[in-house]
Amino acid sequence: MNLKTILILSILLIGCICEAQEKASVDTASFSKNNFTIRFPAAWRIDSSGVMGSQVFLFSPAENSADQFSDNVNVLIQDLAGSQVDLMRYKEITESQIDQMITDGKLLESMIVKSERPHYKVVYEMRQGKFLLRVVSICYIRNEKAYLATFTSELARAGLYKEIGDRILATFVLTK
């Protein structure tokens, strides 16, 4: 390739990236509370009422009138004061709970992610009432608190929502 072709392709690529970033910032929203921030599609509904002890629930819009389950992300903060629970112990506890306490629980992935932002990630399937669900959860531990962000989707449609769920969870950051 000659220099002129590379330059033209670079300019086109930069233009596409800028347009995609502009579109992403227009189409997304963020929620911040209690030392965390998370970004999500702007069309999703926010419930920050504290239902079920959550900090926030983010619900996908219904696909149609027959859609009975809203794919969702929720954030919980668990107080671990005095328990000396680290990521490894959190992993052990979670695996035990999936095995013993969750209806039709099937553990698919459970790992400590060693990165710039170390965290625990678990993926499992379960039954909740009439719904078969796929759950992806990430956990950060800081200052004797577990910050847990969880994406839940119907198992039958999990493949369609995997990308958006992973993208939302990747935006979850602790701010302090």
Side-chain angles (χ1 to χ4, degrees), residues 80 83 85-99 101 120:
L80 302 174
S83 65
V85 172
D86 61 4
L87 288 175
M88 183 56 73
R89 181 68 183 126
Y90 201 92
K91 176 182 183 292
E92 293 167 357
I93 293 167
T94 300
E95 289 173 352
S96 174
Q97 289 176 339
I98 290 170
D99 186 46
M101 300 174 72
Y120 169 59

Side-chain angles (χ1 to χ4, degrees), residues 9-171:
L9 288 174
S10 297
I11 291 170
L12 289 172
L13 181 61
I14 290 169
C16 291
I17 290 170
C18 290
E19 182 179 331
Q21 287 177 340
E22 182 178 310
K23 183 173 177 9
S25 65
V26 171
D27 294 337
T28 62
S30 66
F31 180 87
S32 296
K33 183 178 182 180
N34 294 332
N35 303 324
F36 74 87
T37 298
I38 191 165
R39 296 189 60 74
F40 56 94
W44 284 38
R45 181 174 56 87
I46 302 170
D47 179 348
S48 59
S49 67
V51 64
M52 297 184 346
S54 69
Q55 298 294 306
V56 67
F57 262 95
L58 307 168
F59 294 99
S60 68
E63 290 181 19
N64 55 48
S65 59
D67 190 359
Q68 297 181 358
F69 184 85
S70 286
D71 304 284
N72 65 81
V73 171
N74 73 73
V75 177
L76 299 170
I77 299 175
Q78 296 174 306
D79 186 2
L80 302 174
S83 65
Q84 299 188 358
V85 172
D86 61 4
L87 288 175
M88 183 56 73
R89 181 68 183 126
Y90 201 92
K91 176 182 183 292
E92 293 167 357
I93 293 167
T94 300
E95 289 173 352
S96 174
Q97 289 176 339
I98 290 170
D99 186 46
Q100 297 173 11
M101 300 174 72
I102 294 181
T103 305
D104 298 332
K106 179 180 176 187
L107 183 64
L108 303 175
E109 180 180 337
S110 180
M111 63 186 280
I112 301 214
V113 178
K114 296 179 181 179
S115 66
E116 182 180 303
R117 301 183 315 143
H119 60 279
Y120 169 59
K121 178 181 179 184
V122 63
V123 180
Y124 59 95
E125 296 171 359
M126 63 178 274
R127 178 177 298 282
Q128 183 176 12
K130 66 181 180 178
F131 298 107
L132 289 174
L133 304 175
R134 180 176 186 269
V135 179
V136 179
S137 189
I138 59 173
C139 175
Y140 294 88
I141 295 180
R142 183 184 289 169
N143 299 328
E144 295 191 285
K145 291 185 179 174
Y147 294 82
L148 192 66
T150 302
F151 176 70
T152 306
S153 61
E154 280 186 277
L155 183 57
R157 306 195 49 78
L160 298 173
Y161 288 96
K162 181 183 183 328
E163 183 181 334
I164 187 68
D166 289 346
R167 199 165 48 229
I168 293 170
L169 291 179
T171 71

